[in-house]
Amino acid sequence: MQNNILSGIVPFSIDGVAVRRPVVVAGPCSAETERQVLATARELARAGVRIFRAGVWKPRTMPGGFEGVGRRALAWLKKVKEETGMLVATEVATSEHVVAALEAGVDILWIGARTTANPFAIQDVADALEGHDEATVFVKNPVNPDLELWIGALQRVYNAGVRRLGAIHRGFSAYGEHVYRNQPQWHIPLELHRLVPSLPILCDPSHMGGRREFIAELSQQALDMGFDGLMVESHCDPDAAMSDSSQQVSPTTLEAILRSLVVRDKHCSTESLAQLRQQIDSCDNELLDVLARRMAVCRDIGRYKQEHGMQVVQNDRYGLVLNSRVKRAAALGLGEDFVRAIMVAIHEESVNQQVKIVNRKGNDS
Ligand code: PEP
Ligand code: MN
């Protein structure tokens, strides 16, 4: 990997003044109406936010969702700039978006997670950025946990001449139910920071957590790990938002969250105990998610056994499970007794859950 290619990155600044940590970018997931955009922007400006975000074009997972109002909203962003003096930011996913946004005077462009995962799309965006060396561009991580893909996207934009470049960590998607909408996997952005120390990295706790209750804790974790700032979704009426409603906060709540954050000295916190503890927290959360998934499958098996009149414990299967896990654990450098004890405890809980189902009376299964 040729990381020296990114070595000319310019530190982030507004009007030539270096922005103090944390850089805060806030605004609604989507620009919905002129009224909503301006009302949110005014409140955020009062709360001290200096960079306003709003999605003009929205990539939606499923068809039929609100896909943004399109270039019409660029005029609203212009008004935000004129009225509040904030810088404005929007997501671009195609060369047409780049041209339209730059023409409309959008100060900061960001590339969304779905786009970062697609080198053709990134190259299209990068080609449109050619000749716009003064543009500021943030590249979100790809939806999948692939650091090379993320760096590759950054490099394409860098190669187009952009030097005011940053990254946004918004977590990685994973199949199935999880506490957070996107998994933090903090070690990936930390590795990006190690490889490209001059690259500013923001954290997006809204898309990472998927729920507004998680914004404060994820923001604090990000700052403790030395992130440079935050991109948070904020809406003047979050419950009425047309996209990502559950992960947006009102500007007043955002102000309270920002006030509650403890900003520690970056140089002290990098590689610090706090950073390592965040990784432990993250591993434990993953363990709990996996355990919950395993128990859900056990309950499905319980229902199957009930329907087919089978007994709960099948000894041959239990022996196979235990031995194969202990063997696999040894290959991972985990102690045999330790893993055996864990598997026995997990099996015991699985059996308890199945026994409850098998003994359930009536047809409530
Ligand atoms: C967004 O910022 O509104 C967005 C769509 O983000 P992501 O690309 O992280 O899903
Ligand atoms: Mn969103």
Side-chain angles (χ1 to χ4, degrees):
M1 206 180 293
Q2 305 154 281
N3 300 304
N4 53 346
I5 287 181
L6 293 167
S7 60
I9 287 165
V10 176
F12 193 72
S13 64
I14 293 180
D15 302 333
V17 181
V19 180
R20 279 187 46 205
R21 229 176 127 246
V23 177
V24 176
V25 182
C29 178
S30 308
E32 299 164 4
T33 64
E34 181 171 342
R35 242 183 87 190
Q36 166 252 5
V37 166
L38 286 168
T40 309
R42 284 180 197 125
E43 284 185 51
L44 286 170
R46 269 199 297 275
V49 173
R50 299 195 57 203
I51 310 172
F52 181 78
R53 65 149 279 160
V56 168
W57 300 278
K58 299 303 301 176
R60 303 315 299 272
T61 302
M62 301 300 278
F66 175 63
E67 293 186 332
V69 302
R71 57 172 67 219
R72 202 152 54 87
L74 293 171
W76 308 339
L77 293 183
K78 217 172 194 168
K79 281 198 179 165
V80 168
K81 270 173 74 126
E82 285 160 8
E83 223 192 86
T84 67
M86 279 194 276
L87 296 186
V88 293
T90 201
E91 172 172 347
V92 290
T94 68
S95 47
E96 290 79 14
H97 296 168
V98 173
V99 172
L102 291 178
E103 257 175 35
V106 172
D107 305 283
I108 298 171
L109 310 178
W110 84 81
I111 295 171
R114 292 158 193 80
T115 310
T116 305
N118 178 349
F120 288 128
I122 284 287
Q123 195 54 54
D124 182 46
V125 166
D127 290 346
L129 285 164
E130 196 96 38
H132 294 279
D133 296 1
E134 286 318 297
T136 302
V137 181
F138 280 89
V139 180
K140 285 195 168 194
N141 63 261
V143 279
N144 53 321
D146 184 335
L147 179 56
E148 293 231 3
L149 201 53
W150 196 358
I151 292 176
L154 286 158
Q155 257 174 10
R156 286 179 200 273
V157 175
Y158 187 95
N159 290 349
V162 174
R163 294 293 174 271
R164 296 165 63 89
L165 193 56
I168 302 174
H169 176 44
R170 47 76 86 194
F172 302 95
S173 65
Y175 186 69
E177 289 286 301
H178 296 274
V179 174
Y180 296 138
R181 177 181 178 189
N182 291 294
Q183 309 316 299
Q185 304 213 29
W186 296 110
H187 60 281
I188 296 177
L190 291 177
E191 179 62 4
L192 176 62
H193 175 64
R194 196 184 65 80
L195 292 169
V196 195
S198 58
L199 183 75
I201 310 184
L202 310 187
C203 174
D204 173 345
S206 291
H207 286 89
M208 187 178 282
R211 299 206 344 234
R212 55 185 75 121
E213 306 85 278
F214 295 138
I215 291 178
E217 68 184 49
L218 288 169
S219 299
Q220 187 62 60
Q221 286 178 26
L223 292 185
D224 289 346
M225 278 182 274
F227 279 63
D228 300 281
L230 305 165
M231 175 184 264
V232 189
E233 288 191 333
S234 178
H235 191 290
C236 56
D237 184 3
D239 289 330
M242 295 171 79
S243 58
D244 286 347
S245 148
S246 60
Q247 65 188 38
Q248 306 205 50
V249 285
S250 68
T252 315
T253 305
L254 178 66
E255 190 177 7
I257 291 173
L258 294 176
R259 277 186 206 283
S260 76
L261 297 176
V262 181
V263 186
R264 298 182 178 92
D265 182 1
K266 190 170 175 168
H267 301 291
C268 293
S269 62
T270 307
E271 311 282 47
S272 70
L273 185 59
Q275 198 178 91
L276 295 170
R277 284 184 172 149
Q278 298 298 355
Q279 293 194 43
I280 292 286
D281 291 349
S282 182
C283 289
D284 286 351
N285 286 342
E286 281 176 44
L287 272 175
L288 292 173
D289 282 341
V290 171
L291 274 177
R293 265 205 329 273
R294 191 188 195 281
M295 289 305 156
V297 175
C298 284
R299 288 191 293 276
D300 284 345
I301 293 178
R303 282 183 274 274
Y304 180 93
K305 287 177 179 167
Q306 185 202 35
E307 279 165 25
H308 294 81
M310 291 167 72
Q311 71 172 34
V312 166
V313 179
Q314 312 274 320
N315 265 326
D316 46 349
R317 165 73 184 158
Y318 178 44
L320 270 175
V321 167
L322 201 56
N323 291 335
S324 66
R325 303 321 185 246
V326 167
K327 205 165 143 198
R328 188 184 170 92
L332 294 168
L334 295 165
E336 186 175 318
D337 292 345
F338 164 63
V339 171
R340 191 178 295 279
I342 291 175
M343 289 313 301
V344 167
I346 290 176
H347 181 256
E348 198 176 306
E349 175 60 12
S350 305
V351 169
N352 285 342
Q353 300 226 2
Q354 291 193 9
V355 165
K356 273 191 216 146
I357 288 170
V358 170
N359 290 326
R360 207 181 273 164
K361 298 274 180 296
N363 57 0
D364 59 347
S365 64

